[in-house]
Amino acid sequence: MNTVKPLKTVDDLLQAGLASPADRALLDEVAARYAIALTPIITRLIDRADPDDPIARQFVPDAAELTVAPGERADPIGDHAHSPVEGIVHRYPDRVLLKAVHICPVYCRFCFRREMVGPQGLGTLDAAAMQKAFDYIAGHQEIWEVILTGGDPLVLSARRLRDIMEALAAIAHVKIIRFHTRVPVVDPEKIDAALIAALKASGKTVYVALHANHSRELTSEARAACARLVDAGIAMISQSVLLKGVNDDPDVLAELMKAFVEIRVKPYYLHHPDLAPGTGHFRLTIDEGQRIVAALRGRISGLCQPAYILDIPGGHGKAVISESVIRTTGDGCHSVSDYRGGEHSYPPAG
């Protein structure tokens, strides 16, 4: 069925045929804790005949979210520990996150900020809090890049985005402004001329990091939205999460990364799932993830290779966790494995 409005409640899911009445009580418990939203284009992508549909798995709530595993935490990557003022996360010297809004057009069931986003989350920065955030950025000369995240910053109106960009344009030491978003995929019509114009700022380079986890998300509408951004001079990179039951297969992952490159989106980060509460059913082991990512070598162009990343719990930053292909064998020599699993000495013997 075609859906003409976002799905935001368990009743909406039942009426759309995306949930079973038998699961109603458990899904109500999930909805009481974590926000629900599916845009019409995402709802149309779901194959109701497939109980393991990878699109549904990402967005339709599941009773498994009520199970909290040991080690899971409300702030898995330690945002709060590095937040000097409301809306700012300053974990690395040369860049900050600016979380202007904690609302999203869709709510991913694996979200690492699931305790902070949604109608019951941290909300949108008011004018006073936003000014304090800008003052913090202006007062720290080492900040070269501002990363707008949240929440999804592109849910804001073009006017609000233009105000943010004008404020950042006035800060000389900020050179790069990056937006992390799902909007081109989940609400592509929003990427119109007014919004694109609002993303530009004099003297700044703008990047848009597109979040998608399966090639089916890159519909013709999404591809057109990305083309509008790129054709306007905005560089695009990707971010994805390695998810059990969604893309934990080298062929599926390769198809996604190649699709990004085909639409001029450079693959950037592939995240190992964070320890957010109720997300254990999405997590592979790191060893499993390393094997999947290693299988991409030689299978797809270097243009398509993402960095496999772990956000170290507690706010200690990111670590690249791709499987090592080189080991020391002694006397200044190494053994290097090729993409077929063959071993070779370096420097070559003889």
Side-chain angles (χ1 to χ4, degrees), residues 45-298:
L45 278 178
I46 294 172
D47 181 358
R48 288 163 177 77
D50 181 2
D52 300 315
D53 180 70
I55 308 301
R57 186 165 172 81
Q58 292 183 69
F59 301 108
V60 176
D62 190 305
E65 296 174 51
L66 300 173
T67 301
V68 178
E72 292 182 342
R73 53 186 74 182
D75 183 16
I77 68 168
D79 278 356
H80 293 322
H82 296 277
S83 184
V85 300
E86 185 182 3
I88 293 287
V89 177
H90 195 175
R91 182 178 290 109
Y92 300 100
D94 72 335
R95 55 204 181 275
V96 296
L97 304 183
L98 173 56
K99 298 194 288 184
V101 62
H102 286 84
I103 302 298
C104 300
V106 295
Y107 292 103
C108 304
R109 309 322 303 171
F110 50 87
C111 178
F112 67 99
R113 291 197 179 111
R114 62 197 328 234
E115 299 275 7
M116 309 173 198
V117 299
Q120 299 171 323
L122 299 181
T124 301
L125 294 188
D126 61 23
M130 188 69 80
Q131 187 57 54
K132 287 181 181 178
F134 292 139
D135 290 344
Y136 180 87
I137 295 168
H140 288 74
Q141 295 283 325
E142 71 274 21
I143 297 174
W144 172 79
E145 180 181 22
V146 174
I147 303 166
L148 282 106
T149 180
D152 192 319
L154 296 195
V155 301
L156 295 171
S157 67
R159 178 189 62 80
R160 293 286 302 277
L161 289 167
R162 186 171 59 250
D163 290 346
I164 290 171
M165 294 300 278
E166 287 176 355
L168 294 175
I171 304 174
H173 56 266
V174 172
K175 303 297 183 184
I176 308 295
I177 302 171
R178 190 194 327 168
F179 292 85
H180 279 244
T181 183
R182 264 194 177 277
V183 167
V185 163
V186 304
D187 190 11
E189 291 182 1
K190 194 171 193 300
I191 308 299
D192 59 14
L195 184 141
I196 292 169
L199 297 183
K200 297 188 174 184
S202 177
K204 313 302 179 188
T205 299
V206 178
Y207 283 79
V208 168
L210 176 69
H211 186 150
N213 299 312
H214 195 280
S215 62
R216 275 175 48 207
E217 296 174 60
L218 300 178
T219 60
S220 59
E221 297 94 335
R223 290 168 184 253
C226 292
R228 291 194 290 274
L229 287 163
V230 176
D231 288 344
I234 294 174
M236 293 191 71
I237 58 177
S238 78
Q239 93 171 352
S240 303
V241 183
L242 185 59
L243 299 167
K244 185 182 293 185
V246 175
N247 56 19
D248 57 330
D249 176 280
D251 290 332
V252 172
L253 207 55
E255 185 177 3
L256 172 64
M257 297 303 154
K258 290 167 75 173
F260 280 139
V261 171
E262 289 167 7
I263 63 172
R264 297 177 287 172
V265 176
K266 175 66 181 77
Y268 179 49
Y269 278 169
L270 175 65
H271 291 270
H272 190 77
D274 296 308
L275 293 170
T279 62
H281 53 299
F282 286 108
R283 270 196 304 279
L284 297 84
T285 67
I286 285 178
D287 286 345
E288 288 170 329
Q290 287 176 323
R291 286 194 292 272
I292 291 168
V293 173
L296 293 177
R297 287 190 294 119

Side-chain angles (χ1 to χ4, degrees), residues 325-336 343-350:
V325 300
I326 188 166
R327 57 186 176 83
T328 301
T329 57
D331 298 325
C333 296
H334 301 82
S335 178
V336 185
E343 290 286 329
H344 310 272
S345 60
Y346 182 86

